[in-house]
Amino acid sequence: MTDSTRTDYLDLDTKDETFLDATELVLNMGPQHPSTHGVLRVILKLDGEKVLGTECVIGYLHRGVEKIAENRTYAMFNPYVDRMDYVAAVSNGLGYCEAVEKLLSVEAPPRAQYLRVILTELCRIASHQVWLGTHALDIGAITPLFYCFRDREEVLKIFEKYCGARLTTHAFRIGGCIYEAYEGFEQDCKKFCDAFLPKLDEYEELLTTNRIWVERTKGVGILNPEDCIALGVTGPVLRASGVKWDLRKAQPYESYKDFDFEIPTGLHGDTYDRYLVRIEEMRQAVRIIRQAVDGLPQGPIMAKVPKVIKPPVGEVYHSIEAPKGELGYFIVSDASTQPYRIRVRPPSFVNLQALDKMVRGLLVADVVAVIGTLDIVLGEVDR
Amino acid sequence: MDSSLVYEILLRMRHDELFDYCVDITAVHYPKREAQFDIVYILYSFHHNERVRIKTQIKDGEHLRTAVTIWETANWLEREVFDMFGIVFDGHPDLKRILMPDGWKGHPLRKDYPILQQDQEWVKINLGIESGQ
Amino acid sequence: MIEYIKGYLSSGTTPGEAGNMFWATVYILLVITGVSVAVLCMNWLERKILAHMQIRLGPMRVGPHGLLQPFADALKLLIKEDIIPHDADKFVFWSAPVVVTMTAFTTFLVVPFGRTHAVTDMNIGVLFMLGVSSLGVLGIIMAGWSSNSHYPLMGSLRSSAQMVSYEIAMGLAIVSAVLMTSLQTGTGTLSMIGIVESQAAQHTWFIFKFFPLGFIAFAVFAIAMVAETNRAPFDLPEAESELVAGFHTEYSGFRWSLFFLAEYSAMLAVSSIAVTLWLGGWMRPFPNWLGGTAWDMAFSFLPALTFFVLAAGCFLGTIRMPKIPQFRVQTIGLGTFAALLGFVGLVLLVPGVRVRIQDIYWFVVKVAFFMYLYIWYRGTFPRYRFDQLMKVGWKVLLPTGLGVLIATAIWGLMPQLSAAILGVLQ
């Protein structure tokens, strides 16, 4: 228990000799703060409004997912991964299922792969919409938030119709998908794609050429490619710095090599470029969904996987391009039904490390913008 | 490979083989072995589009040299390994717990750290009864 | 005594000028009540309009269409626990909201709702309003400092810097409007009523005077006034996503509601300055184009008509209510509200009232337009950053204001100048 009347830390007795004394202001932003996207705590060292340095304190949402994994079977752990990046639960599930499949050396049948791609790309759109809404809210534009959530609702409806859950979907199983696409799935996806593109233009109308938005985001939180790579930053943040690297192209998994899509990149690596990159990624996701729906093959949706999953002794690292960056699973198996060790390489955790470098010398208002542009989900940072 | 060589090899991987992106640093605990810990470095090269795993084994209490000087991203990753396994990285700029609270006892991802320990202890201290779990 | 009271009615001036204390008190009470009611309405309207801009419904539960929500809020704020931080400077903490509210209400002393509908008419009216409203910043600094916490401190620092810098641009814009008053008569005035009357004498609103100069001055003022009242996109002092709630982070309950009241009445106050200086104050639109007694008569029915339209809207809402028992109370409530609005409309048809209410109606409509703009800004714009805010204030608005001032002066002197030049030439 801390005593609320304690004042000794204020060091009240020592009198300052200098007349005008500029001291650092230490501002404790979070863990309860409107724009730290959950329970992130950032300790800011300020000179007036200028940021001299930051320190992130994380772990408030730590649930010990990796420890839980060691006490669950492979199939039982599957729903847990959805709880890490809860705004992009489908991507998490995909990464995990693929990693275990790699360990078992099985491959999901083509139809399952296409279904997975459709759902993952839908999920990418949903995740980016949450990002856009909250990012705009951080910068002070309240309206985009509601627009984004209105349209995200359509994605969630498709998820709900497909697997019964909206947020933590548990849509995939090891070896494929368990649910066949419901009747009208293709039409729903197509309808969503057709309706979504004009809505995307609507967001852009509100923000892209808005002078205040441009002033607030251009030149803020610049990361050059070298820093990005040194800091291990991945995903849209890396691409906005001009590095054309996307795991879907670099090391294609699932059926991504069948589809024709672009990897959007930025030039300056500032907040505005990251915004544009993510907007363009949503367009590309729509493109992928359309191709996948059109080419959806017939056939089984589940590979031959034993009832009790007992992978051979060995270890595997598999990573996918989640909406936030490289999401990797490192699994060590000891030939029992439970994984010996699962390590999750969360994109948000690594990306958050770049915060300090990005906000030095900027103002307090920019810290909020930069936290928003990194697109972190604290569930994934803390696991 | 031998733990004393790791730093040299990592350095060489970074500069000679151009593995410029440190994907992940993690550890695996094998309590029955003499060298209890596997430290795994997962590296990626943008030039070759290749991924490499470098593994080393160390005993409990043994130190490793930090990789922060090679890849900045190793900072938090090593802190997490320290937090979860108690492996000390020499030369790390700010080696302290990252996910667990500062006063936490033990290192949770070690195999000898039971999953219910914290809960039972809390119940005993705060409620004064045996935990039913 | 009765004569004293009656004597004023035939005087045709404001109670302040007539020196009639009784009516002055009545007017003050009316203005305070009116402003408070306006703030309540504004609260509801802002939530509803903003909600509809953002594809939401806004308050719907408390009363039909959330009509009673402001009252519920006010009640909640009154009975809420009043928290004072342990390390706060109690006296300053206590007096800050009082200062803010007092200044916000005091400005309404000189606001002319009509030729005779003002508490008083001062010959330095505009100056008085500027002076008193800028005292409000003192309250904000007091609040931020006395809270003894980082967020409020930063909020109040931002606020003071912002208000001081925008006051200059605002003052320049006002001076250029005041310059315009002196054009016909040669003697300018700072009196709020005098300014409106000189617009009447010159047969134009100052926003159209010396087009585009009047309009630019008005635009400078319109931007600066948003910054003055700490509203989006200049709401940095209370930037929610950065400073939690800015200078009133540590306030709760009734004290917080005083800040709320002060903010909205300050918005009303600056809007009334804008209306008085550029939009012809209480005068109805198109007096030149649609002039004459017949048009005057026609325009005098508009207030009643407005209320009838509102009543019809409410009545339509009553019809559209779901016909289930759970909604019976709501339906009855909305119906009553419609009837009330209709009744007010009927009262406004009574000839005596109809004539007297004219100027107030037009004034309120113009202010309401500004209030809508405030909500619209809030729904559309992201927030400026502090340095950008300062840049806009000092590098854009200030030079523009200065330029407009000089240009207005030159333009105003044009007849004399040209006469002088001609004289020299001859």
Side-chain angles (χ1 to χ4, degrees), chain C residues 282-286 290-308 344-362 365:
Chain C
W282 64 78
M283 290 187 296
R284 74 172 172 84
F286 313 121
L290 304 175
T293 349
W295 277 111
D296 278 345
M297 184 74 178
F299 270 98
S300 73
F301 283 106
L302 268 180
L305 197 66
T306 315
F307 273 90
F308 286 142
V344 174
L346 280 179
V347 170
L348 293 184
L349 280 180
V350 176
V353 180
R354 200 177 69 204
V355 176
R356 281 198 82 97
I357 211 75
Q358 274 296 297
D359 35 15
I360 299 181
Y361 172 76
W362 284 112
V365 165

Side-chain angles (χ1 to χ4, degrees), chain B residues 102-113:
Chain B
D102 284 338
W104 195 265
K105 271 185 279 172
H107 299 281
L109 278 183
R110 290 187 177 200
K111 287 283 173 187
D112 47 19
Y113 186 93

Side-chain angles (χ1 to χ4, degrees), chain A residues 33 35 49 138-139 143 215, chain C residues 150 158 241-242 379 383 388:
Chain A
H33 187 276
S35 58
E49 289 242 350
D138 287 347
I139 294 189
T143 310
E215 277 186 34
Chain C
H150 285 162
R158 281 180 176 193
S241 54
E242 297 150 28
R383 186 180 301 119
Q388 291 161 352

Side-chain angles (χ1 to χ4, degrees), chain C residues 177-249:
Chain C
V178 170
L179 269 190
M180 289 174 181
T181 61
S182 66
L183 288 174
Q184 298 282 310
T185 52
T187 51
T189 174
L190 283 169
S191 141
M192 300 285 269
I193 291 180
I195 290 170
V196 181
E197 280 183 334
S198 71
Q199 293 185 49
Q202 297 180 28
H203 297 290
T204 179
W205 292 359
F206 281 160
I207 187 175
F208 302 118
K209 185 90 179 173
F210 296 157
F211 193 81
L213 288 185
F215 184 76
I216 296 173
F218 168 74
V220 168
F221 185 87
I223 295 171
M225 82 185 200
V226 181
E228 268 297 289
T229 46
N230 300 332
R231 291 283 298 185
F234 303 106
D235 55 346
L236 287 100
E238 45 201 279
E240 197 203 336
S241 54
E242 297 150 28
L243 298 184
V244 186
F247 58 87
H248 55 57
T249 307

Side-chain angles (χ1 to χ4, degrees), chain A residues 29-40:
Chain A
M29 207 178 201
Q32 277 92 27
H33 187 276
S35 58
T36 49
H37 293 221
V39 284
L40 169 67

Side-chain angles (χ1 to χ4, degrees), chain A residues 214-332:
Chain A
V214 174
E215 277 186 34
R216 278 300 302 275
T217 51
K218 256 201 180 139
V220 171
I222 297 176
L223 265 188
N224 54 31
E226 293 77 37
D227 282 344
C228 270
I229 292 169
L231 284 162
V233 169
T234 46
V237 185
L238 175 68
R239 289 193 283 275
S241 299
V243 181
K244 199 167 180 158
W245 185 76
D246 187 317
L247 275 169
R248 290 176 292 176
K249 284 269 191 206
Q251 301 185 335
Y253 50 94
E254 291 298 324
S255 45
Y256 273 110
K257 51 184 172 303
D258 302 355
F259 306 120
D260 176 32
F261 63 99
E262 303 284 323
I263 304 172
T265 51
L267 281 175
H268 316 291
D270 56 3
T271 304
Y272 188 66
D273 275 10
R274 287 188 277 271
Y275 157 77
L276 290 180
V277 162
R278 287 201 177 97
I279 291 274
E280 188 53 34
E281 260 180 30
M282 288 199 247
R283 292 224 166 79
Q284 297 301 330
V286 167
R287 220 170 126 190
I288 297 173
I289 295 169
R290 279 188 171 150
Q291 292 173 37
V293 170
D294 285 336
L296 190 63
Q298 295 299 321
I301 51 166
M302 201 62 183
K304 284 234 175 302
V305 176
K307 269 257 156 16
V308 178
I309 297 167
K310 256 186 172 178
V313 179
E315 55 181 52
V316 68
Y317 177 81
H318 183 75
S319 63
I320 64 158
E321 185 72 28
K324 292 168 181 72
E326 176 176 349
L327 171 71
Y329 287 89
F330 175 67
I331 305 181
V332 181

